[in-house]
Amino acid sequence: MLVLITYDVQTTSEGGARRLRMVAKACQNYGQRVQHSVFECVLDSAQLTKLKLELVKLIDHEKDSLRIYRIGNKYRSKVEHIGAKPTLDVEDTLIF
């Protein structure tokens, strides 16, 4: 299923810049960045649970915000991209 992860980490607070980097790194392990604090991830239920647990441990619940949108398996007809930053098809074959 396609999952959209968005976050807002307060970087002016103590440790905020570090939390921001750690949240971004965790999200990069599961998907691709589509905007500064927005990631698209194609995950199964177990992967989503694991990522969510990782992120919950990283953020400061008093200062930061984390939003998770479950778009589902039929996401191709629900996501439209207009403008710069073309994205990769996350389910396509990746060749290094």
Side-chain angles (χ1 to χ4, degrees), residues 10-84:
Q10 189 180 73
T11 57
T12 57
S13 65
E14 184 178 338
R18 182 175 185 272
R19 287 194 316 275
L20 178 65
R21 287 190 306 273
M22 292 176 70
V23 167
K25 185 175 180 179
C27 289
Q28 284 176 330
N29 290 335
Y30 290 87
Q32 70 173 345
R33 183 187 302 258
V34 293
Q35 291 187 355
H36 290 291
S37 296
V38 181
F39 282 80
E40 288 180 351
C41 308
V42 177
L43 308 170
D44 60 31
S45 294
Q47 291 170 317
L48 176 56
T49 299
K50 185 177 177 187
L51 175 57
K52 186 176 172 182
L53 289 172
E54 286 179 37
L55 295 174
V56 165
K57 289 179 185 177
L58 293 174
I59 66 168
D60 181 329
H61 294 254
E62 300 295 319
K63 300 174 183 165
D64 305 333
S65 172
L66 177 64
R67 298 179 71 94
I68 300 170
Y69 299 89
R70 292 168 185 85
I71 308 298
N73 291 323
K74 298 180 182 178
Y75 63 89
R76 292 185 193 271
S77 63
K78 297 176 184 176
V79 177
E80 181 177 358
H81 176 261
I82 300 170

